[in-house]
Amino acid sequence: QVQLVESGGGLVQPGGSLRLSCATSGFTFSSYAMSWVRQAPGKRREWVSGINSSGGATRYADSVKGRFTISRDNAKNTLYLQMNSLKPEDTADYYCGKYRRSYFPSDLNDNDYWGQGTQVTVSS
């Protein structure tokens, strides 16, 4: 079955960096676009970034553009999110999601599978 397992979250000071990973199994990773979303306590889930199946196309929410970088290693079936210049408002649970096709859907929140999430806390 499809499995998505996030890791790499933790506590970091403002201005710091973290790299999240999403290890996948149960499907042909290289055939599907993927995304990261986040949800802060008491807030709605927010789409953060997406990447197509080859890694040649990426998209970012305005709130993270220039600070976060999404990437993938299709040989390792793993998705990444490099987060730099972290701010307290980046504090949230981060989830990776699988899209239904190799390219971005018109609704960037239209994923068919999600991981269990990893917690990121940005605080001094």
Tab-separated table of all heavy atoms in Angstrom, residues 52-95:
chain	number	residue	atom	x	y	z
A	52	ASN	N	6.785	18.496	-9.921
A	52	ASN	CA	6.265	17.500	-10.852
A	52	ASN	C	7.089	16.215	-10.777
A	52	ASN	O	8.044	16.120	-10.006
A	52	ASN	CB	6.192	18.065	-12.269
A	52	ASN	CG	7.558	18.253	-12.909
A	52	ASN	OD1	8.581	18.202	-12.236
A	52	ASN	ND2	7.567	18.484	-14.207
A	53	SER	N	6.719	15.241	-11.525
A	53	SER	CA	7.311	13.916	-11.369
A	53	SER	C	8.809	13.883	-11.685
A	53	SER	O	9.563	13.160	-11.032
A	53	SER	CB	6.588	12.895	-12.249
A	53	SER	OG	6.678	13.267	-13.614
A	54	SER	N	9.241	14.663	-12.633
A	54	SER	CA	10.660	14.661	-13.009
A	54	SER	C	11.498	15.584	-12.137
A	54	SER	O	12.729	15.494	-12.141
A	54	SER	CB	10.806	15.079	-14.469
A	54	SER	OG	10.479	16.447	-14.624
A	55	GLY	N	10.821	16.482	-11.435
A	55	GLY	CA	11.549	17.492	-10.653
A	55	GLY	C	11.856	18.738	-11.451
A	55	GLY	O	12.459	19.672	-10.931
A	56	GLY	N	11.434	18.770	-12.695
A	56	GLY	CA	11.762	19.896	-13.547
A	56	GLY	C	10.882	21.115	-13.369
A	56	GLY	O	11.191	22.184	-13.899
A	57	ALA	N	9.793	20.957	-12.658
A	57	ALA	CA	8.884	22.081	-12.410
A	57	ALA	C	8.522	22.122	-10.939
A	57	ALA	O	8.166	21.089	-10.358
A	57	ALA	CB	7.626	21.950	-13.252
A	58	THR	N	8.625	23.294	-10.360
A	58	THR	CA	8.294	23.485	-8.951
A	58	THR	C	7.416	24.723	-8.796
A	58	THR	O	7.447	25.638	-9.627
A	58	THR	CB	9.558	23.667	-8.096
A	58	THR	OG1	10.310	24.780	-8.592
A	58	THR	CG2	10.434	22.424	-8.129
A	59	ARG	N	6.648	24.730	-7.725
A	59	ARG	CA	5.808	25.866	-7.397
A	59	ARG	C	5.878	26.103	-5.891
A	59	ARG	O	6.066	25.168	-5.119
A	59	ARG	CB	4.358	25.625	-7.806
A	59	ARG	CG	4.151	25.497	-9.310
A	59	ARG	CD	2.678	25.420	-9.629
A	59	ARG	NE	2.435	25.196	-11.045
A	59	ARG	CZ	1.225	25.080	-11.574
A	59	ARG	NH1	0.156	25.162	-10.804
A	59	ARG	NH2	1.098	24.869	-12.859
A	60	TYR	N	5.670	27.377	-5.501
A	60	TYR	CA	5.750	27.737	-4.096
A	60	TYR	C	4.642	28.718	-3.728
A	60	TYR	O	4.252	29.562	-4.533
A	60	TYR	CB	7.099	28.399	-3.779
A	60	TYR	CG	8.278	27.494	-4.018
A	60	TYR	CD1	8.941	27.509	-5.234
A	60	TYR	CD2	8.711	26.626	-3.028
A	60	TYR	CE1	10.024	26.660	-5.467
A	60	TYR	CE2	9.790	25.779	-3.244
A	60	TYR	CZ	10.436	25.801	-4.461
A	60	TYR	OH	11.497	24.960	-4.679
A	61	ALA	N	4.190	28.610	-2.496
A	61	ALA	CA	3.305	29.622	-1.961
A	61	ALA	C	4.102	30.911	-1.774
A	61	ALA	O	5.315	30.878	-1.502
A	61	ALA	CB	2.733	29.160	-0.622
A	62	ASP	N	3.429	32.030	-1.908
A	62	ASP	CA	4.113	33.318	-1.755
A	62	ASP	C	4.779	33.439	-0.390
A	62	ASP	O	5.825	34.074	-0.249
A	62	ASP	CB	3.129	34.459	-1.965
A	62	ASP	CG	2.724	34.612	-3.407
A	62	ASP	OD1	3.414	34.075	-4.296
A	62	ASP	OD2	1.699	35.281	-3.654
A	63	SER	N	4.190	32.812	0.610
A	63	SER	CA	4.690	32.933	1.982
A	63	SER	C	6.054	32.271	2.188
A	63	SER	O	6.743	32.568	3.160
A	63	SER	CB	3.679	32.342	2.968
A	63	SER	OG	3.415	30.985	2.656
A	64	VAL	N	6.439	31.370	1.283
A	64	VAL	CA	7.709	30.656	1.457
A	64	VAL	C	8.657	30.857	0.283
A	64	VAL	O	9.805	30.398	0.332
A	64	VAL	CB	7.479	29.147	1.675
A	64	VAL	CG1	6.510	28.908	2.826
A	64	VAL	CG2	6.974	28.468	0.400
A	65	LYS	N	8.200	31.524	-0.743
A	65	LYS	CA	9.016	31.691	-1.944
A	65	LYS	C	10.328	32.400	-1.598
A	65	LYS	O	10.340	33.394	-0.882
A	65	LYS	CB	8.222	32.487	-2.973
A	65	LYS	CG	8.720	32.361	-4.390
A	65	LYS	CD	7.749	33.039	-5.364
A	65	LYS	CE	6.415	32.310	-5.426
A	65	LYS	NZ	5.489	32.924	-6.394
A	66	GLY	N	11.424	31.854	-2.105
A	66	GLY	CA	12.736	32.422	-1.831
A	66	GLY	C	13.380	31.905	-0.569
A	66	GLY	O	14.579	32.128	-0.339
A	67	ARG	N	12.614	31.192	0.265
A	67	ARG	CA	13.160	30.648	1.511
A	67	ARG	C	13.150	29.116	1.517
A	67	ARG	O	14.029	28.495	2.111
A	67	ARG	CB	12.362	31.149	2.708
A	67	ARG	CG	12.357	32.658	2.855
A	67	ARG	CD	11.704	33.083	4.166
A	67	ARG	NE	10.291	32.691	4.246
A	67	ARG	CZ	9.788	31.894	5.187
A	67	ARG	NH1	10.575	31.400	6.139
A	67	ARG	NH2	8.491	31.598	5.198
A	68	PHE	N	12.162	28.526	0.900
A	68	PHE	CA	12.010	27.068	0.866
A	68	PHE	C	12.352	26.548	-0.526
A	68	PHE	O	12.084	27.211	-1.529
A	68	PHE	CB	10.585	26.654	1.192
A	68	PHE	CG	10.163	26.876	2.628
A	68	PHE	CD1	10.918	27.605	3.517
A	68	PHE	CD2	8.960	26.324	3.084
A	68	PHE	CE1	10.526	27.794	4.829
A	68	PHE	CE2	8.550	26.502	4.395
A	68	PHE	CZ	9.343	27.255	5.255
A	69	THR	N	12.898	25.339	-0.569
A	69	THR	CA	13.192	24.678	-1.833
A	69	THR	C	12.711	23.231	-1.780
A	69	THR	O	13.111	22.478	-0.885
A	69	THR	CB	14.700	24.686	-2.131
A	69	THR	OG1	15.174	26.034	-2.149
A	69	THR	CG2	14.979	24.034	-3.485
A	70	ILE	N	11.860	22.886	-2.707
A	70	ILE	CA	11.378	21.515	-2.815
A	70	ILE	C	12.249	20.770	-3.819
A	70	ILE	O	12.688	21.334	-4.822
A	70	ILE	CB	9.890	21.477	-3.236
A	70	ILE	CG1	9.313	20.067	-3.107
A	70	ILE	CG2	9.699	22.023	-4.639
A	70	ILE	CD1	7.798	20.008	-3.290
A	71	SER	N	12.499	19.502	-3.539
A	71	SER	CA	13.279	18.679	-4.459
A	71	SER	C	12.892	17.222	-4.264
A	71	SER	O	12.170	16.888	-3.317
A	71	SER	CB	14.785	18.872	-4.240
A	71	SER	OG	15.157	18.454	-2.937
A	72	ARG	N	13.374	16.385	-5.151
A	72	ARG	CA	13.082	14.968	-5.054
A	72	ARG	C	14.240	14.158	-5.584
A	72	ARG	O	14.972	14.605	-6.462
A	72	ARG	CB	11.802	14.626	-5.815
A	72	ARG	CG	11.862	14.874	-7.299
A	72	ARG	CD	10.469	14.787	-7.918
A	72	ARG	NE	9.895	13.455	-7.776
A	72	ARG	CZ	8.592	13.196	-7.824
A	72	ARG	NH1	7.721	14.185	-8.007
A	72	ARG	NH2	8.148	11.948	-7.697
A	73	ASP	N	14.384	12.961	-5.042
A	73	ASP	CA	15.371	12.011	-5.527
A	73	ASP	C	14.595	10.772	-5.962
A	73	ASP	O	14.195	9.960	-5.113
A	73	ASP	CB	16.384	11.683	-4.429
A	73	ASP	CG	17.522	10.795	-4.924
A	73	ASP	OD1	17.309	10.046	-5.894
A	73	ASP	OD2	18.594	10.838	-4.327
A	74	ASN	N	14.373	10.641	-7.246
A	74	ASN	CA	13.544	9.539	-7.733
A	74	ASN	C	14.237	8.182	-7.572
A	74	ASN	O	13.563	7.152	-7.517
A	74	ASN	CB	13.160	9.765	-9.188
A	74	ASN	CG	12.069	10.823	-9.328
A	74	ASN	OD1	11.412	11.185	-8.346
A	74	ASN	ND2	11.878	11.340	-10.529
A	75	ALA	N	15.536	8.179	-7.468
A	75	ALA	CA	16.248	6.918	-7.224
A	75	ALA	C	16.040	6.432	-5.797
A	75	ALA	O	16.105	5.227	-5.533
A	75	ALA	CB	17.729	7.092	-7.511
A	76	LYS	N	15.794	7.377	-4.886
A	76	LYS	CA	15.599	7.040	-3.474
A	76	LYS	C	14.139	7.099	-3.053
A	76	LYS	O	13.831	6.907	-1.873
A	76	LYS	CB	16.429	7.977	-2.591
A	76	LYS	CG	17.930	7.830	-2.773
A	76	LYS	CD	18.681	8.748	-1.822
A	76	LYS	CE	20.191	8.553	-1.966
A	76	LYS	NZ	20.955	9.439	-1.047
A	77	ASN	N	13.256	7.425	-4.004
A	77	ASN	CA	11.815	7.509	-3.704
A	77	ASN	C	11.532	8.472	-2.555
A	77	ASN	O	10.682	8.197	-1.691
A	77	ASN	CB	11.245	6.125	-3.359
A	77	ASN	CG	11.337	5.155	-4.521
A	77	ASN	OD1	11.306	5.558	-5.680
A	77	ASN	ND2	11.462	3.881	-4.208
A	78	THR	N	12.232	9.591	-2.552
A	78	THR	CA	12.155	10.515	-1.428
A	78	THR	C	11.954	11.949	-1.902
A	78	THR	O	12.575	12.388	-2.872
A	78	THR	CB	13.426	10.423	-0.570
A	78	THR	OG1	13.578	9.080	-0.114
A	78	THR	CG2	13.331	11.341	0.644
A	79	LEU	N	11.088	12.639	-1.195
A	79	LEU	CA	10.790	14.042	-1.414
A	79	LEU	C	11.430	14.854	-0.295
A	79	LEU	O	11.484	14.392	0.851
A	79	LEU	CB	9.272	14.240	-1.412
A	79	LEU	CG	8.721	15.640	-1.567
A	79	LEU	CD1	8.902	16.127	-3.001
A	79	LEU	CD2	7.241	15.674	-1.168
A	80	TYR	N	11.871	16.058	-0.626
A	80	TYR	CA	12.522	16.915	0.368
A	80	TYR	C	11.909	18.309	0.379
A	80	TYR	O	11.334	18.766	-0.608
A	80	TYR	CB	14.024	17.048	0.061
A	80	TYR	CG	14.756	15.745	0.010
A	80	TYR	CD1	15.063	15.145	-1.218
A	80	TYR	CD2	15.162	15.106	1.167
A	80	TYR	CE1	15.751	13.947	-1.278
A	80	TYR	CE2	15.850	13.897	1.117
A	80	TYR	CZ	16.129	13.327	-0.112
A	80	TYR	OH	16.800	12.125	-0.160
A	81	LEU	N	12.089	18.976	1.512
A	81	LEU	CA	11.772	20.391	1.614
A	81	LEU	C	12.866	21.048	2.442
A	81	LEU	O	12.950	20.829	3.646
A	81	LEU	CB	10.397	20.630	2.251
A	81	LEU	CG	9.947	22.085	2.251
A	81	LEU	CD1	9.662	22.563	0.823
A	81	LEU	CD2	8.698	22.271	3.126
A	82	GLN	N	13.707	21.819	1.775
A	82	GLN	CA	14.746	22.589	2.463
A	82	GLN	C	14.148	23.924	2.881
A	82	GLN	O	13.655	24.675	2.030
A	82	GLN	CB	15.939	22.820	1.535
A	82	GLN	CG	17.044	23.662	2.158
A	82	GLN	CD	17.743	22.965	3.306
A	82	GLN	OE1	18.057	21.783	3.218
A	82	GLN	NE2	17.991	23.696	4.386
A	83	MET	N	14.190	24.190	4.169
A	83	MET	CA	13.579	25.392	4.714
A	83	MET	C	14.659	26.256	5.337
A	83	MET	O	15.304	25.843	6.307
A	83	MET	CB	12.522	25.022	5.756
A	83	MET	CG	11.470	24.061	5.230
A	83	MET	SD	10.126	23.774	6.404
A	83	MET	CE	11.024	23.005	7.742
A	84	ASN	N	14.863	27.427	4.773
A	84	ASN	CA	15.852	28.376	5.276
A	84	ASN	C	15.167	29.638	5.782
A	84	ASN	O	13.999	29.890	5.477
A	84	ASN	CB	16.836	28.734	4.167
A	84	ASN	CG	17.619	27.537	3.653
A	84	ASN	OD1	17.889	26.587	4.397
A	84	ASN	ND2	17.994	27.571	2.384
A	85	SER	N	15.914	30.434	6.516
A	85	SER	CA	15.400	31.706	7.048
A	85	SER	C	14.034	31.512	7.709
A	85	SER	O	13.091	32.267	7.457
A	85	SER	CB	15.304	32.741	5.919
A	85	SER	OG	16.551	32.935	5.296
A	86	LEU	N	13.958	30.521	8.552
A	86	LEU	CA	12.675	30.180	9.169
A	86	LEU	C	12.177	31.281	10.083
A	86	LEU	O	12.965	31.965	10.758
A	86	LEU	CB	12.801	28.865	9.917
A	86	LEU	CG	12.781	27.629	9.004
A	86	LEU	CD1	13.348	26.417	9.724
A	86	LEU	CD2	11.368	27.346	8.525
A	87	LYS	N	10.856	31.436	10.093
A	87	LYS	CA	10.183	32.449	10.882
A	87	LYS	C	9.235	31.769	11.864
A	87	LYS	O	8.775	30.653	11.606
A	87	LYS	CB	9.385	33.366	9.971
A	87	LYS	CG	10.187	34.016	8.859
A	87	LYS	CD	9.273	34.815	7.938
A	87	LYS	CE	10.053	35.452	6.800
A	87	LYS	NZ	9.157	36.231	5.894
A	88	PRO	N	8.883	32.431	12.942
A	88	PRO	CA	7.920	31.838	13.877
A	88	PRO	C	6.609	31.446	13.193
A	88	PRO	O	5.993	30.437	13.567
A	88	PRO	CB	7.710	32.950	14.902
A	88	PRO	CG	9.009	33.689	14.899
A	88	PRO	CD	9.455	33.678	13.474
A	89	GLU	N	6.204	32.196	12.187
A	89	GLU	CA	4.951	31.881	11.486
A	89	GLU	C	5.053	30.633	10.615
A	89	GLU	O	4.051	30.180	10.057
A	89	GLU	CB	4.471	33.068	10.650
A	89	GLU	CG	5.511	33.659	9.735
A	89	GLU	CD	6.201	34.878	10.343
A	89	GLU	OE1	6.558	34.830	11.540
A	89	GLU	OE2	6.384	35.859	9.593
A	90	ASP	N	6.246	30.059	10.485
A	90	ASP	CA	6.399	28.778	9.793
A	90	ASP	C	6.100	27.597	10.702
A	90	ASP	O	6.071	26.445	10.241
A	90	ASP	CB	7.815	28.630	9.233
A	90	ASP	CG	8.143	29.642	8.155
A	90	ASP	OD1	7.282	29.883	7.287
A	90	ASP	OD2	9.267	30.184	8.178
A	91	THR	N	5.886	27.862	11.976
A	91	THR	CA	5.569	26.792	12.918
A	91	THR	C	4.275	26.096	12.513
A	91	THR	O	3.241	26.742	12.342
A	91	THR	CB	5.430	27.360	14.334
A	91	THR	OG1	6.699	27.882	14.759
A	91	THR	CG2	4.966	26.294	15.318
A	92	ALA	N	4.362	24.787	12.326
A	92	ALA	CA	3.207	24.009	11.873
A	92	ALA	C	3.601	22.541	11.793
A	92	ALA	O	4.773	22.191	11.900
A	92	ALA	CB	2.747	24.484	10.496
A	93	ASP	N	2.594	21.705	11.603
A	93	ASP	CA	2.837	20.325	11.189
A	93	ASP	C	2.933	20.318	9.666
A	93	ASP	O	2.070	20.886	8.990
A	93	ASP	CB	1.710	19.419	11.658
A	93	ASP	CG	1.672	19.266	13.169
A	93	ASP	OD1	2.761	19.270	13.786
A	93	ASP	OD2	0.569	19.140	13.724
A	94	TYR	N	3.958	19.655	9.156
A	94	TYR	CA	4.198	19.612	7.718
A	94	TYR	C	3.907	18.204	7.202
A	94	TYR	O	4.364	17.223	7.779
A	94	TYR	CB	5.639	20.004	7.410
A	94	TYR	CG	5.882	21.485	7.518
A	94	TYR	CD1	5.917	22.114	8.748
A	94	TYR	CD2	6.062	22.264	6.378
A	94	TYR	CE1	6.110	23.483	8.858
A	94	TYR	CE2	6.271	23.638	6.469
A	94	TYR	CZ	6.287	24.239	7.708
A	94	TYR	OH	6.485	25.599	7.805
A	95	TYR	N	3.176	18.169	6.100
A	95	TYR	CA	2.753	16.905	5.512
A	95	TYR	C	3.176	16.838	4.047
A	95	TYR	O	3.043	17.836	3.318
A	95	TYR	CB	1.236	16.767	5.561
A	95	TYR	CG	0.629	16.840	6.933
A	95	TYR	CD1	0.329	18.061	7.514
A	95	TYR	CD2	0.349	15.674	7.658
A	95	TYR	CE1	-0.236	18.136	8.781
A	95	TYR	CE2	-0.223	15.742	8.922
A	95	TYR	CZ	-0.508	16.984	9.470
A	95	TYR	OH	-1.077	17.049	10.719
